[in-house]
Amino acid sequence: MAVPTSTFDYLNLLKENNTREWFHANKKTYDGVKADFEATIKELIGAIGAFEDMTGVEVKDCNYRIARDVRFSKDKAPYKTWLSASFSAGGRKAGRMDYYLHIEAGKSFIGGGMYSPTPEQLAKLRQEIDYNAAELKSIIYNPDFIKAFGEAEGESVKSAPKGYSKEHPEIELLRKKQLFFWHKFSNEEVSADNFVQKVTEACFILKPYLDFLNYIFFDDQEPAIKL
């Protein structure tokens, strides 16, 4: 199911009127927007389930609340001006590297990877790069992967990370503090009939990278599904 163009109309209005009063006065419209997005999430759970274990995962396990947590933020706007969901075995609270879908006017994307790693995860990734960078490079430098996701985005340390030489042959990868990949969609693509298909195809291409991260971060054995 595509995301209707009316969803972007609503999100743009919310951006201009981000108050609890406006939100509750337009709650009926939001309920319709939410129902449309949840239908898309449900369809994606089924489609991604063709190559990921989505057993028992429901819409509520993937969808994020639109209300913002403003307790520790200088920005006190009460609501997000986008819709989002994550897809993985066990749902978004499972803590694994997952497929993240973001719907926002002019800024929609499907993405995944190392966005906010713990110090332990970053250390494990750098150790894996140091010992055997070939596997990671074979994934993220694959022509199909590059065509779909381009180069990784995210912060890097200016010099070599502690414990590694500036002359290390994989210094550019070792410098990465984030290694996140995005496939962006225009508003027209999001509202097209084949949107779920396009998201699913992108997730399938992204899967080997997420399998790689989940294996070195969490798993004691090889992933059940190998591509």
Side-chain angles (χ1 to χ4, degrees), residues 2-35:
V3 177
T5 56
S6 56
T7 293
F8 295 121
D9 295 335
Y10 172 81
L11 292 174
N12 284 332
L13 285 171
L14 178 59
K15 188 175 293 187
E16 296 171 4
N17 304 275
N18 202 332
T19 66
R20 289 181 176 83
E21 293 75 15
W22 186 91
F23 183 85
H24 288 291
N26 293 272
K27 184 65 163 48
K28 186 175 181 180
T29 303
Y30 170 69
D31 288 343
V33 167
K34 181 182 178 184

Side-chain angles (χ1 to χ4, degrees), residues 94-155:
R96 297 174 68 81
M97 301 292 108
D98 53 22
Y99 308 97
Y100 174 75
L101 178 65
H102 183 101
I103 302 298
E104 183 178 6
K107 299 179 180 180
S108 299
F109 67 89
I110 183 74
M114 201 178 69
Y115 188 76
S116 298
T118 64
E120 292 79 11
Q121 289 172 342
L122 189 55
K124 284 182 178 180
L125 178 66
R126 285 174 172 159
Q127 184 180 58
E128 191 70 18
I129 292 170
D130 183 33
Y131 289 164
N132 177 25
E135 183 177 358
L136 175 60
K137 291 168 72 175
S138 72
I139 296 169
I140 65 175
Y141 297 151
N142 179 283
D144 290 337
F145 191 96
I146 293 173
K147 182 178 179 181
F149 290 96
E151 296 183 1
E153 298 187 25
E155 296 181 357

Side-chain angles (χ1 to χ4, degrees), residues 58-70:
E58 301 178 12
V59 170
K60 64 180 177 64
D61 302 316
C62 303
N63 203 6
Y64 288 92
R65 297 172 64 242
I66 197 168
R68 294 180 64 245
D69 183 352
V70 299

Side-chain angles (χ1 to χ4, degrees), residues 203-223:
C203 289
F204 187 75
I205 293 171
L206 187 60
K207 175 179 169 56
Y209 174 55
L210 297 190
D211 283 349
F212 173 84
L213 293 180
N214 281 320
Y215 176 63
I216 64 173
F217 291 163
F218 307 113
D219 296 339
D220 295 327
Q221 57 187 10
E222 291 292 333

